[in-house]
Every structure is written in C-alpha cells, then in structure tokens.
Amino acid sequence: MTKHIAFFKGTCLAVLLAGTAPVLAQEVNAVTFVQAVEPQGLDPTVSSPVAAGQVTWQNVFEGLVAIDREGRVVPQLATAWTISEDGLTYTFTLRDDVTFQNGVPFDASTAKFTLERILGEDSTNGQKANYTAISKVEAVDATTLVLTLSSRNSDLLYWLGYPAAVMVEPSSADSNNTAPVGTGPFKVEEWRKGDRVIMSAWDGYWGEAPALESVTARFIKDPQAQAAALQAGQVDIIGNLDAPELFDQFTRNPAYEAVVGAGEMEIVAGMNNAKPPFDDPRVRQAMMLAVDRPSLIAAVSSGYGTAIGSHFSPACPFYEDLTGLFPYDPERAKVLLAEAGYPDGFSFEFKVPTRTYAQRSAEILQAFFSQIGVSAEIQSSDFPATWIQDVFKDTNYDMTIVGHAEPLDIGIYARDNYYFNYDNAAFRSEMEKIAAATSEAERETGYRKAQEILAEDLPALFLFSYPKLGVWKAGLEGVWENGPVPANDMTDVHWVK
C-alpha cells in the first residue's frame, strides 16, 4: 500500500492555489462534513451498510482494534494481543478504563456479547462471513478475551478493526440504530432524518479528548448541491466529491484544500450469474470486451480513476493490473456472443442505483453494449432502500452497477447467496488457502491468484477504481486524505489557530 499512497500524495496530490483571497481563522470549534447517502440506521453492526460506518465509526463506535488512515491495524479497546503458533487462538488484553456513553463499563463480557451477536443465527451483520472462523469466545476475566478459531483466518485481525465489528453495549443493542451508544469521543445528540446527524464531544471519553466540540454529518446526495453548500459555508468538508468535473474549481481556490487521494472503491457492473444469458462466461467476457474503460473513466469521472481488471483497486497492496485480458475489442465480443448462441445479441434489464457515478456509467455502458447488438434497458433503483432489497437481497435483476467500497473484500465472490449468484470452486478454494496462509508471501500469492480467476471468469464487469476526491476549507487539518476504510473519522480533525 505504501507505494500507491506515495504515488497519490506525490504525483496526483492536487492542492493548486489561485487568487489572493485571505483564509480566515475559524471561530466556532465545530465541523460539518458532507455524506451523499443517509444510512437507514446508525449502527454499523446491523446490516453493515457503508453509510452507517461513515457517520459513526471511530466518531461514536470503536473496536478491539482499528484501521488507521494508512490502512494499518492498530490497538484500540484492546491494548495488545497474541496469536498461537497454530493460528487458532487469539488472546486479547483489554483496556480497563473504558465506559460506554451510558455509563456502563466496557470489559471482556461486553466484547464476548458483541462477537457472539455477530455470529448468532439471527445476526443481520452484513459482514458476518468474515468472522465465522471464530468457534468460541471466552471472557477469561474483565480484561482478557480469548477467541478460538475452527480454522486459520489470516485476515481476522484486520476484519476486527472494521466498522462491522465495533463494540456494542448489550442494553443499547436494540436501540443503537437510532440512538447509538459507543465508547468513542463523540456522542449523538440528534438525528434529523433526511438532513443531518449532530454529534458533540463526550467528556467521559477514555482517550485523548478531540479538538472539536461538535461534529455534524449533513446528508446531501446531489454533487452540485454538495459543492454549493461548501462554497456557501454551510459545510466544511466533502470527503469524497461525487462529481469530478467540479473538483478542478477547488484546486484553483486558496480558500480550500483539494486532494486526490487513494480510494478503495471499485466500480463494477455485477451480473446475475444464475440467469441466462449471464450464466455463460462467454457472454460475460463479450460484455467486458465491449467496454472501452479509459473512455468510460473520461466520461464518468473527468479522467480521475484507474481502469481495473479484477476486484481490487490500486490502493490495495495485492493489486494486479489485469485489464489486458479483455481489452476493448467489440469484434472479438461479437464472435464470443455468436459462440454462446447470441449472434444477433440480446436484451436485458439494467437496474441502476440512484448514485451519480452509477447513472453516468450505465448510460455510457448502454452505448457500448449497443455496438455489439446488446440492448440494455436502464431502470433506476432508489438507493439504498429499493436497490438493497430488490438487487442485493432478492437478486431480482439481470445486471446492475455499484461501487464496492469495503477494503479487502474480494471474498464476497465466494459467499453463498451473495447478489452475484456466483459459484466457482477454484475461487472458493483459493480463498480458503488465503485464510490458512502462514506467511505474508503466501497470503499475497493467494490474493493475486484470486484476482486472476475473477479476471478470466468475470462474474462482474470490472470497470474502474474511483479516487477519493476530498475538498475542505483551508485551515482544517487532520482530515483523511486517503480512504483505506470508507470513513469520516473526525477524531484528529482540528482548525489551525
């Protein structure tokens, strides 16, 4: 990851100044950040949508460990841990000075409750599959937690730092979606549905007090409205501007910092692999050959972004450029379609979530597909509510398009009943080898092989990695430039006096 982050900071970092407008000091010790999607709930352990974690992860909720701004696993509510030689026993030493925001102490029994809740039969945690290697959770004493695994899982420590595994106080578990109670430096004061979540600094926080007294998440879906709100002084931070064509205006204005950061979001056009014609790999390959990825990036994101050939972005340390396997070649695509029994093409329904990048990409893809005789009927699907139920849960679709923002999430293609309806024994085997890896070299080899299987079989059309285009007011420091985790972590953000 270091190489790629350095590239974005050193080569693509865009903080270009123009004009002579003075930058005034901030008088109010508060920050408002923009979020495009309002979550249906504020608890990232329930259903685990990215949007919930973007509001409350690290701000309100914390985990045993955390993933820092450089993508490293660091201690948090656990101060240390040991892993047995066989990789099947994890022993955590927990902090003894932590309470939840309702006054209940955090201890090993709380951690046990949290993890067993994730693994329970009635669990709704969307990342449950990442933790199923845990077969037993023991609270040995107040500050000692022991996890016993049924099989090795080389990524487990990383996943324990993810928003889906934040610690939950048992008595608040049923109400955290609307009134979250965490151990973090900010507490939720008010959720004005359809508008904002207001948080304030919590004076009972166990760690270093945050510099900010107040943090607000404003829900603004339209990118033009996001930019206008920033320019009008209504918000202070856009962590990821959804309209790249608006980005350049901020790079030329000294009143703002405009940073091209490394992001983990892969834009993919998922296909329902259980339904004809997408159950035939030749059809899926033909669809990939019909797409000119550089032209797509130019049209959708003003040239910001990197073409991908599998399900990793360049921000991942295991990334491999596999775009050369199926480059733009519409004539070859027609041959593959004919071999698959579709010499005259076919028609399908393209269910597209109401996200700017998705709508724009779908229209460009529709034009590309038409060149090989394939007709895509675009149907807009309200995101998140309608799309999550219809496409993600019910798999009632032919093709869709969405950004997968979770880091290190290539394993989704091995999950049962995941929305791709993809089943590949070789890929599942590779993911099992990765979990059982005993060295970093073994783990890297496995992830590269997994990428290569997907790049050849194409359960989805791998399009491009979306950059993290951050814009915020000059005078703010501590904002995450890169996005190893989809987050709006405000714990280190402060105004320069």
Side-chain angles (χ1 to χ4, degrees):
M1 171 134 0
T2 304
K3 176 176 67 176
H4 298 295
I5 290 176
F7 171 79
F8 276 93
K9 287 184 176 178
T11 305
C12 290
L13 189 65
V15 187
L16 309 177
L17 303 182
T20 57
V23 178
L24 301 179
Q26 183 75 5
E27 295 181 2
V28 179
N29 196 15
V31 155
T32 297
F33 66 86
V34 167
Q35 184 161 319
V37 177
E38 180 175 16
Q40 294 175 292
L42 299 178
D43 182 353
T45 72
V46 174
S47 142
S48 309
V50 167
Q54 286 177 310
V55 177
T56 57
W57 182 71
Q58 294 306 302
N59 297 322
V60 177
F61 290 110
E62 299 175 311
L64 295 176
V65 296
I67 301 167
D68 71 8
R69 68 178 65 218
E70 303 298 337
R72 299 169 300 199
V73 176
V74 295
Q76 194 157 68
L77 299 182
T79 59
W81 54 86
T82 59
I83 304 173
S84 62
E85 286 189 16
D86 63 5
L88 299 179
T89 305
Y90 287 60
T91 303
F92 291 90
T93 301
L94 309 184
R95 300 191 64 90
D96 62 1
D97 57 350
V98 178
T99 59
F100 284 90
Q101 292 161 356
N102 60 1
V104 176
F106 164 77
D107 58 21
S109 64
T110 310
K112 174 179 167 68
F113 167 82
T114 297
L115 295 175
E116 289 181 340
R117 179 168 171 259
I118 292 172
L119 297 167
E121 288 186 10
D122 57 351
S123 170
T124 62
N125 192 300
Q127 303 298 326
K128 178 180 177 180
N130 293 324
Y131 310 101
T132 52
I134 301 172
S135 61
K136 186 178 181 181
V137 184
E138 297 175 89
V140 177
D141 54 45
T143 60
T144 308
L145 180 76
V146 177
L147 308 183
T148 303
L149 277 57
S150 58
S151 58
R152 296 181 68 98
N153 186 336
S154 65
D155 291 327
L156 179 61
L157 200 59
Y158 181 88
W159 289 121
L160 287 172
Y162 198 66
V166 295
M167 294 293 102
V168 172
E169 197 281 299
S171 70
S172 71
D174 292 338
S175 57
N176 275 338
N177 243 357
T178 54
V181 173
T183 61
F186 298 100
K187 61 180 180 179
V188 172
E189 297 289 351
E190 183 182 5
W191 182 6
R192 299 177 190 171
K193 295 287 184 70
D195 181 31
R196 68 189 68 193
V197 169
I198 301 170
M199 297 169 273
S200 65
W202 177 47
D203 59 11
Y205 183 53
W206 61 269
E208 183 178 347
L212 297 173
E213 296 171 3
S214 176
V215 169
T216 298
R218 277 282 307 275
F219 305 119
I220 305 175
K221 180 181 291 187
D222 180 67
Q224 297 278 355
Q226 293 175 4
L230 181 61
Q231 291 166 325
Q234 298 170 356
V235 302
D236 306 298
I237 301 170
I238 303 176
N240 197 0
L241 183 62
D242 283 341
E245 70 276 7
L246 302 176
F247 183 71
D248 284 348
Q249 66 181 302
F250 293 106
T251 68
R252 297 188 296 270
N253 191 329
Y256 305 99
E257 296 284 339
V259 179
V260 181
E264 282 281 1
M265 187 161 78
E266 301 92 12
I267 310 298
V268 306
M271 292 167 281
N272 192 336
N273 287 242
K275 290 178 63 176
F278 300 119
D279 58 345
D280 190 326
R282 293 170 297 183
V283 171
R284 302 195 297 266
Q285 292 166 355
M287 301 295 275
M288 191 73 264
L289 288 165
V291 179
D292 181 348
R293 281 172 283 213
S295 295
L296 178 70
I297 294 169
V300 174
S301 60
S302 299
Y304 292 107
T306 304
I308 57 174
S310 192
H311 196 91
F312 268 157
S313 83
C316 178
F318 309 120
Y319 170 76
E320 186 175 351
D321 183 0
L322 296 166
T323 52
L325 279 178
F326 294 96
Y328 179 54
D329 190 341
E331 294 307 313
R332 183 181 164 200
K334 292 176 185 177
V335 171
L336 281 176
L337 283 183
E339 290 178 3
Y342 301 95
D344 300 318
F346 58 88
S347 299
F348 72 92
E349 293 181 350
F350 198 176
K351 289 191 176 178
V352 181
T354 51
R355 298 299 308 277
T356 304
Y357 69 83
Q359 296 282 324
R360 291 177 178 178
S361 296
E363 292 173 359
I364 304 300
L365 291 175
Q366 183 185 50
F368 283 139
F369 297 153
S370 69
Q371 295 178 3
I372 62 169
V374 173
S375 176
E377 180 188 338
I378 295 176
Q379 297 180 356
S380 289
S381 179
D382 183 57
F383 188 88
T386 303
W387 185 89
I388 287 178
Q389 185 62 51
D390 194 28
V391 176
F392 189 76
K393 292 183 178 179
D394 296 341
T395 66
N396 179 28
Y397 79 105
D398 296 325
M399 180 184 285
T400 189
I401 184 168
V402 74
H404 282 265
E406 296 88 350
L408 211 64
D409 63 346
I410 197 170
I412 58 178
Y413 295 91
R415 292 184 187 175
D416 292 328
N417 303 318
Y418 206 70
Y419 79 98
F420 302 114
N421 285 325
Y422 179 62
D423 187 7
N424 183 309
F427 183 80
R428 288 175 182 267
S429 174
E430 206 56 51
M431 294 309 300
E432 291 170 1
K433 292 177 184 177
I434 292 168
T438 58
S439 70
E440 192 63 16
E442 227 182 309
R443 190 164 165 252
E444 179 173 351
T445 298
Y447 273 120
R448 290 188 181 277
K449 179 62 177 175
Q451 288 177 81
E452 290 162 6
I453 293 171
L454 295 185
E456 184 68 41
D457 208 25
L458 291 171
L461 304 182
F462 301 109
L463 303 173
F464 65 99
S465 168
Y466 208 87
K468 186 177 185 296
L469 301 179
V471 184
W472 53 88
K473 289 180 181 177
L476 267 179
E477 291 186 353
V479 182
W480 282 27
E481 296 181 2
N482 300 293
V485 176
N488 288 297
D489 182 349
M490 297 289 114
T491 57
D492 292 330
V493 175
H494 60 279
W495 293 98
V496 177
K497 299 296 185 182

